[in-house]
Amino acid sequence: MDALAGMLEGPRARGAFMIRACFDPPWAVRVEDRAPLTVMLVVRGDAWIVPDTGERLRLRAGDLAIARGPDPYLCADDPATAPQAVILPGGECSYPDGRPLNGSMDLGVRTWGDRADGEVVVLIGTYLVRGEIGGRLLDALPPLLSLTAEAWDNPLTPLLMNEVTRDEPGQEVVLDRLLDLLVIAALRAWFARPSAEAPAWYRAMGDPVVGRALRLLQDDPAHPWTVAALAAAAGVSRAAFARRFTDLVGEPPMGYLTGWRLALAADRLRDSEDTLGTIARRVGYGSAFALSTAFKRVYGVSPQEYRTASAAPAPVPSPGSSPAPVPSSGSSPAPVPSSGSSPSPAPSPA
């Protein structure tokens, strides 16, 4: 697995919000949903994305933007337009004065806004919890990125437009996978740009010494790697290799390997039923205890707590974060809209 493949392997939506937003100018929606990642694909018309901090972004038909949470932003026909709705965590939607919208902007199956044939149509997909997007991926992205229609060949728009309003068994799963495909295709194109602001380890892949070592670590994390072994494989001295790796990647070789192993372990905890011992062996730890100790030191929770939180409708801890609360057995789950109905309250349009 190359470095980019390892990073892009992360997007796996589960019950993500996908909707067709339709507006007539003037329109504006303020997004405060704290979603970790939201994709906006303009099908018709123009739109502006105005973050509270940073540069505003104009999108035209065919353009795509990806917003990395949790910072709020405004989506509008014009940066000066006052918001007509506010999107809050959990898919709640209200008027700017706090009154609930109560579905007043629902237009049909996964369609929301002013009118179904509005001048502006934007396809929006929102990953609801961080666990659905690998931490390595989120950490590599700026708060807001975009691709113009000229910058990438996107064959998915007609398929997405056809599928988003369908009301059939299993449709939620179809849309989850289409959203994953859209994100992966867009990010691959974005990282391929000459001016791409890729993470240090990704740029280091082009170095003949460090790049070889990174590929070895990516391909076989379970191997008992040492700095000396990596240096020998790269054909340089141990001291020279350690300096060069740290300078280019931003952390020592063993620090990078630890982070990669724990990220893989987190993925396995979330997406498999493997025992902790099995996961430990697959990612390079000698025992479940050794993995558990390292995991809790970095993620702030035990592997079992992480797995439990990943399966619950709650944010999943990221490296260095405080433990996420795990819902008690008597608590009520958050309401989830059915796959065939128009969400009410409305999901995030950005």
Side-chain angles (χ1 to χ4, degrees), residues 101-291:
L101 273 173
N102 292 327
S104 61
M105 297 180 72
D106 291 353
L107 299 173
V109 177
R110 301 186 192 88
T111 304
W112 186 81
D114 297 327
R115 61 186 178 94
D117 57 348
E119 292 184 25
V120 178
V121 176
V122 185
L123 288 173
I124 299 131
T126 300
Y127 291 83
L128 299 179
V129 296
R130 181 181 171 101
E132 295 172 3
I133 297 286
R136 301 184 303 279
L137 176 57
L138 286 178
D139 293 341
L141 301 180
L144 184 65
L145 65 90
S146 66
L147 286 169
T148 64
E150 294 77 21
W152 72 310
D153 182 18
N154 174 25
L156 298 173
T157 300
L159 181 59
L160 286 164
M161 282 291 289
N162 180 59
E163 293 288 344
V164 72
T165 57
R166 296 181 70 173
D167 183 11
E168 298 182 6
Q171 192 64 18
E172 184 177 275
V173 177
V174 171
L175 294 175
D176 281 350
R177 298 290 75 78
L178 285 175
L179 177 58
D180 292 343
L181 182 58
L182 180 66
V183 170
I184 291 170
L187 291 180
R188 183 175 63 179
W190 189 77
F191 277 111
R193 298 171 308 128
S195 60
E197 299 174 2
W201 60 260
Y202 181 75
R203 297 192 301 269
M205 290 295 293
D207 183 81
V209 173
V210 177
R212 175 169 173 74
L214 283 170
R215 283 186 285 273
L216 290 171
L217 297 177
Q218 294 272 350
D219 291 343
D220 191 6
H223 184 81
W225 294 110
T226 63
V227 174
L230 290 168
V236 296
S237 71
R238 183 182 185 279
F241 171 76
R243 283 196 305 270
R244 189 161 178 167
F245 191 104
T246 303
D247 289 345
L248 292 180
V249 179
E251 60 181 325
M254 294 299 101
Y256 175 86
L257 177 58
T258 296
W260 176 240
R261 284 172 167 170
L262 293 178
L264 292 174
D267 286 347
R268 298 299 301 173
L269 287 166
R270 186 183 66 239
D271 298 325
S272 79
E273 297 182 359
D274 291 347
T275 66
L276 188 58
T278 298
I279 294 173
R281 290 190 295 273
R282 287 184 175 180
V283 301
Y285 283 88
S287 67
F289 178 79
L291 171 59

Side-chain angles (χ1 to χ4, degrees), residues 17 29-35 85-95 98-100 126 128 345-349:
F17 271 135
V29 177
R30 180 166 173 81
V31 181
E32 300 177 358
D33 62 1
R34 302 185 64 82
V86 180
I87 309 301
L88 301 169
E92 296 292 328
C93 189
S94 69
Y95 291 103
R99 291 178 295 122
T126 300
L128 299 179
S348 165

